[in-house]
Amino acid sequence: MLFNDITIIDENFQVSEHMYVGIDEDKITYISKEAPERSFGRVYDGKGKLLMSAFVNTHAHSPMTLMRGYGENLALQEWLNNKIFPFEAKLTGEAVYWGTLLAMAESIRFGIVSTTDMYYFSEDMIRAIDESGAKNNIARSITCFDDSDLWSLESAKEMKSIYENYHNGAGGRIKVDMSIHAEYTSTPKIVRQMAEYTASIGANMHVHLSETQKEHEECKARHGGMTPAAYFDSLGLFDTRTTAAHCVWLEDGDYRILKEKGVTVASNPVSNMKLASGVCNVPRLLREGIHVSLGTDSVASNNSLNFIEEMKYFATAAKERLKDPTAVTPVQALQAATVAGARAQGRDNCGLLKEGNQADLTVLDISGPHMHPVHDLLNNIVYSASGSDVILTMSDGKILYENGSFFTIDIEKTIYEADRMTREILRTL
Ligand SMILES: [Zn+2]
């Protein structure tokens, strides 16, 4: 496929117009101002369009699409205890399958090709992800509230089994990560055992960290003044490639730990603001050289997977926290939404529009009235564009979505079944 005479965001996050981008099989093999001399198959008319690297969502709980809009405007603990946990207790593998497929459909519709997921019913999720053609770093997260040994937990057995059966599956599209859910849902014994196991197999770690002030302060009270970051570090959890979601309440020493261990902070600005958890200090993280990527968190607390909207919140929330309108540039927002996420997932040949990289791409229609005039296209992408401007999403060179059509997902059936599963669960509550 050849993108013909199209505007691009290149690997240095510069805008170039009138470009030619060729795809062979699953890779980007040609980027030039000159039209190629050979054929790349289908020719895509790039007039009024922008081609860029597809988005990477680095913190999600995909099956929670079924809880979209369920229990709004409640305090966090009330929302969790009275709405989310009872609903989750009734989930079935079939419900999780359809919920995940709905999330994959919404993701590719908004230009997200790859997601870092943390949930359970992993095999049902993997089935949906595989069928959708999207990429996913999936983790079966571990929780433990008593003195159990890691390997006595059913969740740990599921985690190990999906790692052994599916890691690097579906042509590398599916990776299996390890996950401790959070400090307040685990024990030091379990965290240490998980850290040792994860390091021994060379897997990635995915964890919630200092999302709320309550979590942060209660951890310090429980563990002799240690913050969640210091606590996990003391148990070796960051001795492998780690994605830490939220990091809203970090203290000075925490920044040093995250930097030294190369941890990626997955910031989830919409969810954090909707649950009134606070705003991550993204400018300080970036200034200190800490990797920062972007996530949606679950649809139950977002309430969408609209990544263009997420970028706008990422930039504007930081400005508000610091009371500084110069904080977070559009380039920093775009990097967090693409290459930083791919790096966090261990997908070093993804996340950039670059020759030799995997063809994980998205096209935006930039011809609409809200996208003009163009003083700086990157500003328009982050602050003026809308999720519905995404008109094509491609994973490994395969088009998953184009102009309202889904090529891997039966969208009508998926919506019908997700609605039906939700109704069935609600009937039993
Ligand atoms: Zn989360």
Side-chain angles (χ1 to χ4, degrees), residues 142 148-153 156 159 189-190 193-194 197:
I142 302 296
S148 296
D149 183 83
L150 178 66
W151 298 113
S152 71
L153 302 175
M159 169 191 84
K189 180 175 169 182
I190 291 289
Q193 285 185 303
M194 272 294 285
Y197 175 66

Side-chain angles (χ1 to χ4, degrees), residues 133-241:
K135 300 185 178 184
N136 201 292
N137 282 44
I138 187 169
R140 196 304 177 206
S141 69
I142 302 296
T143 58
C144 179
F145 301 92
D146 58 27
D147 192 39
S148 296
D149 183 83
L150 178 66
W151 298 113
S152 71
L153 302 175
E154 285 306 312
S155 56
K157 289 172 193 158
E158 180 184 334
M159 169 191 84
K160 187 166 185 284
S161 154
I162 65 160
Y163 182 78
E164 289 170 357
N165 290 313
Y166 300 101
H167 184 55
N168 285 327
R173 287 190 292 110
I174 291 173
K175 291 180 182 290
V176 178
D177 292 354
M178 299 296 121
S179 173
I180 284 287
H181 175 267
E183 178 275 331
Y184 62 98
T185 50
S186 58
T187 62
K189 180 175 169 182
I190 291 289
V191 173
R192 189 184 294 281
Q193 285 185 303
M194 272 294 285
E196 284 168 4
Y197 175 66
T198 305
S200 76
I201 58 173
N204 299 342
M205 174 54 58
H206 185 190
V207 65
H208 288 107
L209 193 82
S210 294
E211 176 177 4
T212 66
Q213 189 173 22
K214 181 170 182 284
E215 166 201 341
H216 188 83
E217 294 302 329
E218 286 181 356
C219 172
K220 286 163 70 179
R222 257 195 296 273
H223 301 295
M226 278 196 287
T227 62
Y231 163 78
F232 281 137
D233 187 42
S234 75
L235 295 169
L237 199 73
F238 300 149
D239 292 347
T240 181
R241 187 195 300 257

Side-chain angles (χ1 to χ4, degrees), residues 59-61 64 118 181 206 208 211 245-246 268 271 297-298 301:
H59 184 62
H61 311 282
M64 293 179 79
M118 180 201 289
H181 175 267
H206 185 190
H208 288 107
E211 176 177 4
H246 304 301
N268 305 269
S271 173
D297 208 351
S298 88
S301 63

